Amino acid sequence: MIIYPAIDLRGGKVVRLREGDPNRQTVFSNDPVATAQQWIADGAQWIHMVNLDGAFAAANNNGAILESVAKLPVKVQFAGGLRSLEDIGQALDRGAARVVLGTIAVQQPEIVRQAIERWGAEAISVALDARDGKVTTHGWQQKTDMTPVEFGLQMVALGARHALYTDVNRDGNLGGSNIDGTIALGRET
C-alpha cells in the first residue's frame, strides 16, 4: 500500500477544508515545503498536493511551491485548476510526477485521452470526487448528474489507469474514508 499524504494549498498555506467548504478552513502551516519535508521524514514516497486556489478559481499561483516540493526526494501528484493541456504540461514541467484532472475531465473528456497520449497513463489521474453519490467539479462546488461509477467507466474507456476517489461528505471531518464506496467503485470500474 502506498499512502499519499495530502498538502492542500490555499493562499500559499497548508490548509484543510471541511467537506470542501472554503468557509470552513483550518490552517496547519505557513510553510508547505517544511510540511512536505516532515512527510518525507515520516516515510512518504508520494505527496498529493492540491492547489485549492486553482480548483476554486483556476488560478494556478502555487506553481512555485510545486517546484520546491518536487525538488525534494518525493514524487508529487498535483491537482487543482488544471483546465487545459497547457496547464497540465506546466504542472508536469514544474516537477509533478502525476496530475489529477477533475473539472476538465468532466467538461472535456477528450482532454483525458489527449493528455494520456502525450504524457502517458502513469502521469494522468482522474478525480472521481462525489457528494451525495454524484460527481463534483470546480473544487467540489458544483454537482453533476453522473455517478462516480459512470464517470469512472467513461475515463477507463479513454485510457485512464489511475483515479482518485473522494467522498466529499467525509472529507476533512476526520471520520475516515468511505471504504465500502471505494471498494464498490474499484470493482465496478
Side-chain angles (χ1 to χ4, degrees):
M1 175 187 299
I2 300 172
I3 296 173
Y4 291 64
I7 296 177
D8 292 1
L9 301 171
R10 189 163 183 222
K13 299 176 182 176
V14 178
V15 303
R16 180 183 74 216
L17 306 181
R18 293 193 62 177
E19 299 176 25
D21 184 346
N23 297 314
R24 296 166 64 195
Q25 173 178 295
T26 302
V27 175
F28 285 96
S29 171
N30 292 322
D31 189 343
V33 176
T35 301
Q37 290 170 324
Q38 183 59 53
W39 284 122
I40 294 165
D42 290 341
Q45 298 172 1
W46 280 86
I47 300 272
H48 175 69
M49 187 174 292
V50 182
N51 175 17
L52 292 172
D53 298 310
F56 294 136
N60 291 295
N61 59 357
N62 287 303
I65 296 170
L66 167 60
E67 284 179 359
S68 295
V69 173
K71 290 177 183 172
L72 301 173
V74 69
K75 292 180 182 177
V76 178
Q77 177 173 272
F78 189 76
L82 303 173
R83 306 271 166 80
S84 68
L85 284 172
E86 182 180 350
D87 290 343
I88 295 165
Q90 286 177 357
L92 294 168
D93 288 346
R94 287 186 140 180
R98 181 179 297 142
V99 295
V100 181
L101 307 179
T103 299
I104 192 171
V106 171
Q107 293 180 331
Q108 301 174 56
E110 189 56 33
I111 291 282
V112 174
R113 181 190 315 274
Q114 293 171 9
I116 290 170
E117 288 173 357
R118 186 166 178 183
W119 292 287
E122 287 302 310
I124 307 298
S125 180
V126 292
L128 307 177
D129 304 328
R131 184 186 304 273
D132 304 321
K134 298 295 182 180
V135 171
T136 60
T137 63
H138 298 87
W140 304 344
Q141 303 305 301
Q142 297 178 25
K143 203 177 339 181
T144 70
D145 292 329
M146 286 186 291
T147 69
V149 169
E150 291 167 339
F151 186 51
L153 289 171
Q154 181 183 11
M155 295 296 102
V156 167
L158 294 172
R161 292 179 29 204
H162 294 281
L164 177 73
Y165 169 64
T166 302
D167 181 338
V168 177
N169 293 323
R170 292 179 183 240
D171 191 74
N173 289 318
L174 302 177
S177 301
N178 181 344
I179 293 173
D180 292 338
T182 303
I183 291 169
L185 183 59
R187 285 185 178 150
E188 293 181 46
T189 60

